[in-house]
Each structure stands twice: as C-alpha cells, then as structure tokens.
C-alpha cells in the first residue's frame, strides 16, 4: 500500500454521499450499528469490499460489490465491540474489544475490557480469538473511578514495531446518553500478537479548556502517511449556542504518533435527521483509482413517531483533493 503525505488529507473538501444512512441494523432487534472498519477491493482476496461493525449482539461482517449497498454475511464474535482489520502480508488480523455485561440488572456495571485478536487468510474463516491486552494493565483505563475500559483498538506498523492504539476510560454523556472514551493511548510490541508494553500516559485526553474536546476524546481513527500520521477524531464538546452536547469530526496531524495537533473540522453532527445526536466513530481510506477518500462513519439519532427509538447507522463521506 502506498502511503500518501499528510497534505493529501489536509487540502481535501468533504461531502456526504447521501442524506440517508447507507447501512443500518434491524429496526427493532439491532437498532444500533456502530464502529465501521472496512477494506477496499484491492486489499481483499476476493476483490470486493468488506466491512465489519458491531451491534449489541457482537461483530457483524458485511460485503459489497460497490461500497454503497451492503450484504450481511454473518455474526462473527458474539459480544465483541469496535472491530478493526489490519492486513500484513497474507494474514488479516481482526482486533476488537470485549467486556462482560448482564443486561437488565439494575445497577449492573460492565467488567474490565479485553482486547482480542483473531486471524484469517480469506476474511471468511477466523481463528479463535486470543487476548492481547487487558484494561487492568493500562494505568489510564479507569476514568473518575469507573471500571477500567478500553475502546476502539487499532494496529499500526510504525518504525519497525507494532503500535496498538486504543481509547481508554469510560465516560457517560447525558442528553442523550452515550458511553465514550475519555482518552487515547497505545502499547507497543515487535509482533501483532504481543506481548505489548503499555505507554503509561495517554497521547490525547479530554480537556475542559479545549473547546474541540471539552466533554470527551471519543473515537480516533489513524491514517498512516509517508511523513507522519493523520487521524480523524469524533470528539465531544458542549455547544454554547445550542446549549447541548455535540460531536464533530476533527482532522489531526502528528509527525511521531505521540503529539497530535488539530488541523481543522471536517463535519459537525447535524441539528436534525438520522445523525443529529452524535457522530460516534469512523474509518477512512484512500481509493487510488478514484482519487477519493472514503470515510464510513456511525452516528446516532432518533426516529420519528409515537415510540421513537435511538438508532445508530452508518453514513459515508467522500473527500476530494482541491
């Protein structure tokens, strides 16, 4: 894969492919489809699109011939959250977070997180997952006394080692409710399977004095570049005009994967529609034959009607260089 320079993202303009979501879960069984991670046709053994996301049931696998209409293949790992696919040679590594929770019990809390890894050579058959990191090994995984929790793991090859980046520290926003990551850090290893050495301090954290992420760091998706590392952050902040929490996608840049600077805002959560609550996560890749960035994202909103449900669905942003 050819890495583009940081400027290839910085000089883009972005637009929505459609005003409606391109993929959603079952309206009543799995109303929330979140955390997309996708592979382009030139990255897959069967030359079609593959996408992984999670519902409350676990990691779901989808395929597409166009990247616009998606066919559900199957539920891969029950109870899994926040999938990410890393391609290294002929092996695909599916990385995700899992924690135990018993639904319906009053006052029940989630257990500590485990980051799991499974491998495949064809994207259809996957090995039994193994644990590569536990949240109890991460000093900043507990936020304000909450159970230690990790979010959104992803793997990057960097300077001869593998960096396992992740969100950490569960923080619950209100109006509407959303559990999000308070910070973002990483661990390092010489092998994708570990063992991993955790860096003791986060590289990004919630900052009440920073208007861009005054409420929470949220989801961060990295984009390795030829001269550094870009990232798209779905950060949470308080809108002083509307007097409510909101989220927005921010473009970040880093030369070393340690210090990230905000370059600009890509998109805000809209004031109405299917994505009017929060932009919750994203995944982004450059499709070279179209000279276009594809950014699939998940967002929450409320249905219209007498008994509205909070839904989470997937949308698509396209980026073109100016």
């Amino acid at each position: 894969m050819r890495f583009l320079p940081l400027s290839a993202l910085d000089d883009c303009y972005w637009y929505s492919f459609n005003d409606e979501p391109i993929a959603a879960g079952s309206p009543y069984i799995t109303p929330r489809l979140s955390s997309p991670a996708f592979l382009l046709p030139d990255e897959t053994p069967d030359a079609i699109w593959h996408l992984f996301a999670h519902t409350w049931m676990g990691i779901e696998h989808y395929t597409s011939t166009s990247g616009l209409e998606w066919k559900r293949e199957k539920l891969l790992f029950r109870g899994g959250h926040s999938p990410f696919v890393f391609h290294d040679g002929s092996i695909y590594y599916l990385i995700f977070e899992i924690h135990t929770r018993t639904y319906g019990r009053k006052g029940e809390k989630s257990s500590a997180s485990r980051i799991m890894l499974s491998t495949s050579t064809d994207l259809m058959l996957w090995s039994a997952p193994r644990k590569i990191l536990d949240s109890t090994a991460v000093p900043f995984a507990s936020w304000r006394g909450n159970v230690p929790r990790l979010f959104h793991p992803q793997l990057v090859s960097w300077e001869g080692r593998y960096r396992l980046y992740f969100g950490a520290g569960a923080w619950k926003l209100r109006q509407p409710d959303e559990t999000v990551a308070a910070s973002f850090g990483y661990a390092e290893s010489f092998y994708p399977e570990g063992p991993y050495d955790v860096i003791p301090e986060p590289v990004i954290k919630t900052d009440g004095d920073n208007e861009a992420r005054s409420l929470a760091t949220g989801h961060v998706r990295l984009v390795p570049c030829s001269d550094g590392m870009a990232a798209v952050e779905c950060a949470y902040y308080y809108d002083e005009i509307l007097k409510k929490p909101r989220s927005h996608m921010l473009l970040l840049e880093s030369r070393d994967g340690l210090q990230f600077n905000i370059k600009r805002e890509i998109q805000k959560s809209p004031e109405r529609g299917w994505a009017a609550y929060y932009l919750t996560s994203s995944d982004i890749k450059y499709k070279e034959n179209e000279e276009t960035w594809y950014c699939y994202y998940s967002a929450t909103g409320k249905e219209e009607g007498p008994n509205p449900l909070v839904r989470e669905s997937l949308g698509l942003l396209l980026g073109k260089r100016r």
Side-chain angles (χ1 to χ4, degrees), residues 285-302:
K285 292 179 185 288
Y286 185 70
K287 199 165 190 301
E288 196 162 3
N289 64 340
E290 297 179 11
E291 298 183 338
T292 301
W293 289 95
Y294 277 70
C295 179
Y296 292 93
Y297 65 96
S298 58
T300 55
K302 184 173 282 190

Side-chain angles (χ1 to χ4, degrees), residues 83-124:
F84 178 79
V85 183
F86 178 75
H87 185 202
D88 194 4
S90 62
I91 301 176
Y92 296 89
Y93 297 88
L94 179 61
I95 303 160
F96 59 95
E97 180 265 345
I98 192 166
H99 61 278
T100 304
R101 180 168 184 171
T102 304
Y103 292 91
R105 290 185 181 177
K106 188 174 182 180
E108 183 275 333
K109 292 184 178 180
S110 299
S111 69
S113 291
R114 288 89 68 196
I115 294 179
M116 311 297 289
L117 179 146
S118 174
T119 61
S120 175
T121 57
D122 63 3
L123 298 174
M124 291 298 181

Side-chain angles (χ1 to χ4, degrees), residues 231-242:
V232 175
E233 178 184 3
C234 292
Y236 297 78
Y237 68 102
Y238 189 76
D239 191 312
E240 294 289 351
I241 297 175
L242 297 179

Side-chain angles (χ1 to χ4, degrees), residues 180-230:
V180 296
S183 59
F184 181 72
Y186 72 94
E188 278 191 327
S189 175
F190 286 106
Y191 308 98
E193 301 87 352
Y196 281 93
D197 297 320
V198 178
I199 305 305
E201 295 292 331
V203 297
I204 303 173
K205 58 184 178 181
T206 302
D207 182 357
D209 295 325
N210 186 330
E211 294 181 358
R213 62 173 74 93
S214 59
L215 295 181
T217 296
H219 180 277
V220 181
R221 177 64 86 220
L222 299 171
V223 185
C225 296
S226 60
D227 53 350
M229 195 180 293

